[in-house]
Amino acid sequence: MLNISNRTAYAVRVLRRRAKGMATVSSRIGDTRVPMSLLEQDRYINYQRIEDNLAVIRERLKRPLTLSEKIVYGHLDDPHNQDIERGVSYLKLRPDRVACQDATAQMALLQFMSAGMDTAAVPTTVHCDHLIEAQVGGVKDLARAQDINREVYDFLATGTAKYGLGFWKPGSGIIHQIILENYAFPGGMMIGTDSHTPNAGGLGMIACGVGGADAVDVMANIPWELKCPKVIGVNLTGKLNGWTAPKDVILKVAGILTVKGGTGAIVEYTGPGVESLSCTGMATVCNMGAEIGATTSVFPFNSRMADYLNATKRPEIAKYAQRFSHNLKADQGAEYDQFIEINLSELEPHINGPFTPDLATPISKFASEVKKNGWPEELKVGLIGSCTNSSYEDLSRSVSIVKQAAEHGAELKSKFTITPGSEQVRATIERDGHIAAFENAGGLVLANACGPCIGQWDRKDVKKGEPNSIITSYNRNFTGRNDANPATHAFVASPDLVTAMAFAGKLTFNPLTDTLPGSDGKPFKFKAPTGDELPPRGFDPGQDTFQPPPADRSAVAVAVSPTSERLQLLQPFKPWDGKTPEDLPILIKVKGKCTTDHISAGGPWLKYRGHLQNISQNCLIGAINSENGEANKIKNQITGEWGAVPQTASYYRDNGIKWVVIGDHNYGEGSSREHAALEPRYLGGLAIIVRSFARIHETNLKKQGMLALTFANPEDYDKVQPSDRVSIHGLESFAPGKNLTLVCKHENGSVDKLPLAHSFNQGQIEWFKAGSALNLMAAKAKGQA
């Protein structure tokens, strides 16, 4: 009877399916079409590609997959034939979209124009957030920026219109917040020309910072190349509580992994503790993952992401992701290359710095560290906001502290600035009274832009060279990063701690235990901050600052003046001449930390990001010369004169002499700015030889036709003398996995032969031979290669 009953039930189900026309074909995820964005109704989320790719990958690998593997391998160009080995293989991937901020978009667009294409192959947006300097307040600072940057904004507006890109005007907000609000979606893949692109991992997206040349590849319908990432798992247990904020998770992880511990890896968060983080909190964690060198960071899809999608008017994406949720989390038993456990219930608030984002100190020990190290105890400025911590939740928690202070009549003891992440956030906190609360307390609300976080800060309260302390809710605190003052001690914390400490005016204040005097003279202690994850009354969109590409682009002319000091059309770099480089001078042997800020300074130099000749005058001016311990003072090996780095490099180039740079560990960490690779190439450099590279910078160098080489034995760095003449042997048989040799001729007549390793694959070797990846792309477009 049981068998007959089962057969009958089965027959009834088959008849029902046939009646609906579903006899043999089950519903596919791709049968549902959901737009990627409300602003791109004709571009659809492609979950079917991920599903199909993973069917192939599972059959090939026959093992459980991590979440990041599912998304990355789900975007493979050729899943059947792609070699897949973590940390070894070079994957060819098809990202869903590209995003560029205005400082890097200039060079990306100039390169795209040089490639001979007429339309971006994938949805691409440009965001004006980097060129607005913080001076006196949001409205006036924005108006000033629109005036002095008009030429660049016109170029970006016409360039995006010409090539079919979306354009977010000045005042729209910071690129990463705009992406989270409008474009990020669970399971997607995006590349962006900013190192903090991983912010979108807060919505379950694999989002990676790249240089402009990588962006051009994807815009030109060429697969994006990425070394197959390792995977670092961070298991979160417990629950955030009290003063501990999402920022403290990544501050703790940075302390564990250091600024280079995540290099070549995706950081994937797992565990029950994930549920205690909001979507924007998860974005904060992913954003600052750039400071540990990670390829990107990502969280599994959960209800908090769905809440955010619903709040930003994308309920269909939330429903679609729920249907696809089996591929938006790690498989049971998935293996990680490294695994970290963090109990959120026990996690203390942290403060990281100064001068490096991985010097992590729990708040309970911070005051003693301040005194022990002699850091300036007086807190000059507290700054909250930036792409890392400028969500509605962040600012509403800060406001709760401001209101507590107001209740007790306590006043700010430090200057205090607030940067909304987007026009939508600004309009919403204005409507809800938060801006009034900040301003009534004496806070200064800045423009919806990067501002002091990237050095766009016209700071007047201290003189350059004057030791002082600031604390920010930003992500990066390298020497001189925020205000161009090398004596500024910059510390990084949650917006909660920054706000509380601004009322104390000193670094040694611990709001968890210490009290402040009220206006009545009685001491009070701050209660733990509270805030709304999402605005109870919904978001106020504010002003419409988006320019979609026009339907008819034929009449659009891209605005580039031949006499401009800020924009310059690119000329192709020369191909390799096929000769063995012999007796080259060392431009500079760099000692210690050398970030992209050291190689291509920001701040006032941002205005030249579209003019390679002009911006090259900042090349390596922040790097410390091992020969004398000074910055921007090196010896010309031909004339014997001491001078600035860019001028010396130009002398070599103009006299037909190629040169090399010798560098230390994690060379090129920090921002994704490809100018740090373009400038040495433009000034005649041939090779950058270091103990180790940061991922993005190494790729950027290769893209521009530079030799990015590492000492096979890192201790060989010490054998190279700044006055050496060097030769690079083995280029005639340059091949993947085959070492080259650095021949160092010392002044005393002795010679050292040092093995040089590299990570070039065959395609990247062709970039070098052609003079750049762009040269090769343009030649193929013309049928010459």
Side-chain angles (χ1 to χ4, degrees):
M1 288 293 296
L2 182 62
N3 288 340
I4 293 173
S5 177
N6 284 344
R7 290 191 189 108
T8 301
Y10 173 75
V12 170
R13 289 196 299 271
V14 169
L15 288 171
R16 285 175 176 169
R17 285 199 296 268
R18 285 175 178 169
K20 295 179 180 180
M22 297 170 58
T24 57
V25 180
S26 60
S27 177
R28 301 163 71 248
I29 191 74
D31 292 339
T32 302
R33 304 183 82 190
V34 175
M36 277 192 217
S37 165
L38 297 176
L39 301 170
E40 297 161 345
Q41 291 292 319
D42 59 342
R43 302 295 187 103
Y44 301 98
I45 294 174
N46 194 351
Y47 281 158
Q48 190 62 54
R49 172 177 58 182
I50 299 176
E51 188 91 358
D52 294 344
N53 276 10
L54 291 184
V56 176
I57 297 302
R58 291 185 186 283
E59 181 63 28
R60 288 183 55 195
L61 299 184
K62 300 185 184 302
R63 63 169 174 80
L65 300 175
T66 68
L67 166 63
S68 51
E69 286 184 307
K70 288 182 180 181
I71 302 175
V72 171
Y73 304 161
H75 285 80
L76 284 170
D77 182 53
D78 182 3
H80 294 277
N81 300 303
Q82 173 68 62
D83 184 44
I84 300 174
E85 184 179 353
R86 289 184 193 170
V88 177
S89 308
Y90 279 90
L91 307 179
K92 291 188 179 297
L93 302 162
R94 291 286 185 178
D96 297 297
R97 65 180 312 110
V98 173
C100 309
Q101 39 95 333
D102 50 355
T104 52
Q106 296 170 62
M107 197 56 68
L109 274 174
L110 289 166
Q111 291 180 89
F112 187 75
M113 291 165 64
S114 300
M117 311 294 171
D118 59 4
T119 303
V122 301
T124 302
T125 52
V126 170
H127 305 256
C128 293
D129 61 359
H130 271 56
L131 301 179
I132 303 170
E133 186 179 51
Q135 280 191 332
V136 296
V139 175
K140 291 183 178 179
D141 291 347
L142 175 59
R144 177 173 176 270
Q146 288 172 323
D147 181 43
I148 65 176
N149 298 314
R150 188 170 307 281
E151 180 183 18
V152 171
Y153 292 150
D154 286 348
F155 166 67
L156 295 175
T158 55
T160 52
K162 183 68 174 178
Y163 297 107
L165 284 58
F167 180 60
W168 288 85
K169 301 171 188 176
S172 301
I174 306 172
I175 176 173
H176 311 302
Q177 184 66 26
I178 297 292
I179 292 293
L180 201 70
E181 292 173 354
N182 295 276
Y183 300 112
F185 64 88
M189 174 177 280
M190 177 179 70
I191 61 170
T193 60
D194 189 280
S195 56
H196 295 103
T197 300
N199 190 81
L203 258 176
M205 193 174 208
I206 291 293
C208 303
V210 299
D214 276 351
V216 171
D217 280 354
V218 176
M219 291 164 65
N221 204 31
I222 295 172
W224 174 51
E225 191 170 79
L226 175 72
K227 181 175 279 190
C228 188
K230 295 181 179 180
V231 189
I232 298 173
V234 179
N235 190 55
L236 303 179
T237 57
K239 185 178 181 180
L240 286 179
N241 61 87
W243 282 87
T244 306
K247 183 66 161 281
D248 297 305
V249 176
I250 185 58
L251 294 176
K252 175 71 172 179
V253 170
I256 295 170
L257 290 177
T258 77
V259 291
K260 59 183 179 180
T263 302
I266 293 176
V267 180
E268 182 175 312
Y269 292 86
T270 66
V274 167
E275 291 293 335
S276 73
L277 277 67
S278 66
C279 176
T280 52
M282 289 185 274
T284 290
V285 175
C286 293
N287 177 298
M288 198 174 161
E291 309 321 315
I292 58 174
T295 301
T296 193
S297 302
V298 68
F299 279 84
F301 177 72
N302 63 9
S303 62
R304 309 295 281 272
M305 293 183 189
D307 291 343
Y308 187 78
L309 287 167
N310 288 326
T312 50
K313 300 182 179 179
R314 293 175 286 172
E316 294 305 315
I317 295 179
K319 293 175 187 175
Y320 202 37
Q322 186 59 51
R323 283 183 54 199
F324 198 60
S325 60
H326 60 286
N327 279 327
L328 300 176
K329 61 184 178 181
D331 289 337
Q332 190 72 30
E335 294 184 1
Y336 295 86
D337 296 280
Q338 184 177 349
F339 207 68
I340 297 168
E341 298 273 0
I342 295 178
N343 185 338
L344 299 179
S345 300
E346 300 173 356
L347 179 64
E348 268 192 80
H350 276 62
I351 299 177
N352 286 25
F355 305 123
T356 185
D358 60 351
L359 180 56
T361 306
I363 186 66
S364 61
K365 298 179 180 178
F366 189 69
S368 61
E369 288 296 307
V370 170
K371 293 176 180 177
K372 183 177 76 175
N373 291 287
W375 297 330
E377 184 174 340
E378 180 188 3
L379 181 61
K380 289 288 189 180
V381 192
L383 306 97
I384 64 170
S386 85
C387 66
T388 319
N389 279 109
S390 57
S391 68
Y392 185 87
E393 180 181 36
D394 290 325
L395 300 182
S396 66
R397 283 173 64 95
S398 289
V399 160
S400 75
I401 297 170
V402 170
K403 288 180 177 179
Q404 288 185 59
E407 289 170 3
H408 293 277
E411 297 181 348
L412 287 165
K413 298 297 190 296
S414 309
K415 292 181 182 296
F416 184 51
T417 70
I418 303 96
T419 303
S422 67
E423 169 60 10
Q424 178 166 269
V425 167
R426 186 211 60 79
T428 305
I429 65 171
E430 181 177 47
R431 180 201 66 196
D432 292 351
H434 296 352
I435 285 183
F438 284 132
E439 292 181 337
N440 289 339
L444 178 65
V445 179
L446 301 175
N448 314 322
C450 299
C453 184
I454 60 162
Q456 284 283 48
W457 184 15
D458 185 22
R459 189 179 181 191
K460 302 291 189 183
D461 61 303
V462 297
K463 296 178 180 178
K464 190 168 184 177
E466 179 183 338
N468 73 100
S469 291
I470 65 173
I471 188 166
T472 82
S473 70
Y474 304 164
N475 43 44
R476 195 162 280 166
N477 63 340
F478 302 134
T479 303
R481 166 78 177 184
N482 304 120
D483 61 1
N485 181 3
T488 293
H489 294 59
F491 299 88
V492 177
S494 69
D496 308 341
L497 285 190
V498 174
T499 304
M501 294 176 79
F503 281 98
K506 56 183 181 179
L507 286 180
T508 50
F509 177 70
N510 179 353
L512 283 72
T513 59
D514 299 345
T515 61
L516 292 176
S519 57
D520 57 4
K522 296 180 181 179
F524 76 95
K525 189 171 81 168
F526 285 119
K527 297 175 184 177
T530 58
D532 293 307
E533 174 181 346
L534 296 164
R537 297 164 57 193
F539 283 108
D540 182 333
Q543 298 180 37
D544 183 6
T545 53
F546 177 65
Q547 172 189 292
D552 182 4
R553 297 181 273 119
S554 59
V556 177
V558 181
V560 181
S561 168
T563 60
S564 172
E565 292 186 352
R566 298 192 62 177
L567 296 165
Q568 181 184 51
L569 296 177
L570 296 175
Q571 297 298 319
F573 293 129
K574 293 181 179 179
W576 176 48
D577 59 14
K579 299 177 182 178
T580 296
E582 297 280 3
D583 297 325
L584 309 185
I586 294 170
L587 177 69
I588 181 173
K589 181 182 179 183
V590 178
K591 179 182 179 181
K593 186 184 284 284
C594 189
T595 72
T596 48
D597 279 18
H598 293 87
I599 305 167
S600 177
W605 290 95
L606 287 175
K607 64 184 177 183
Y608 296 125
R609 285 287 181 87
H611 198 294
L612 183 54
Q613 180 179 351
N614 286 347
I615 199 170
S616 291
Q617 296 311 300
N618 76 2
C619 184
L620 285 159
I621 62 175
I624 300 302
N625 182 7
S626 66
E627 192 168 11
N628 56 10
E630 297 183 40
N632 204 27
K633 187 177 181 181
I634 61 173
K635 187 176 182 180
N636 185 317
Q637 300 300 326
I638 307 301
T639 67
E641 297 177 355
W642 291 81
V645 179
Q647 285 67 45
T648 307
S650 297
Y651 176 90
Y652 292 150
R653 178 198 60 195
D654 296 344
N655 285 277
I657 302 168
K658 295 184 177 69
W659 47 262
V660 305
V661 167
I662 304 297
D664 216 319
H665 282 297
N666 208 30
Y667 184 92
E669 69 174 283
S671 170
S672 68
R673 66 190 65 158
E674 67 179 339
H675 297 77
L678 279 160
E679 291 173 30
R681 182 74 169 96
Y682 174 79
L683 292 173
L686 175 74
I688 310 293
I689 305 166
V690 301
R691 293 193 207 245
S692 64
F693 281 108
R695 173 190 65 86
I696 300 176
H697 186 61
E698 181 180 22
T699 301
N700 287 346
L701 288 168
K702 293 177 181 179
K703 285 277 185 178
Q704 302 307 333
M706 291 284 286
L707 289 171
L709 309 172
T710 57
F711 293 105
N713 304 307
E715 61 272 16
D716 284 348
Y717 164 90
D718 296 317
K719 297 179 181 178
V720 182
Q721 303 304 311
S723 57
D724 288 349
R725 290 302 184 91
V726 301
S727 304
I728 300 174
H729 290 178
L731 283 177
E732 69 283 352
S733 56
F734 196 10
K738 185 178 180 182
N739 282 358
L740 302 173
T741 301
L742 182 70
V743 180
C744 299
K745 298 178 182 178
H746 307 304
E747 281 188 312
N748 64 7
S750 63
V751 175
D752 272 312
K753 294 184 178 181
L754 311 176
L756 298 177
H758 65 85
S759 62
F760 282 80
N761 60 30
Q762 191 56 50
Q764 294 168 344
I765 290 172
E766 295 307 314
W767 297 345
F768 168 70
K769 291 179 178 178
S772 71
L774 188 61
N775 285 359
L776 196 61
M777 181 194 304
K780 288 180 178 178
K782 296 175 182 176
Q784 298 174 357

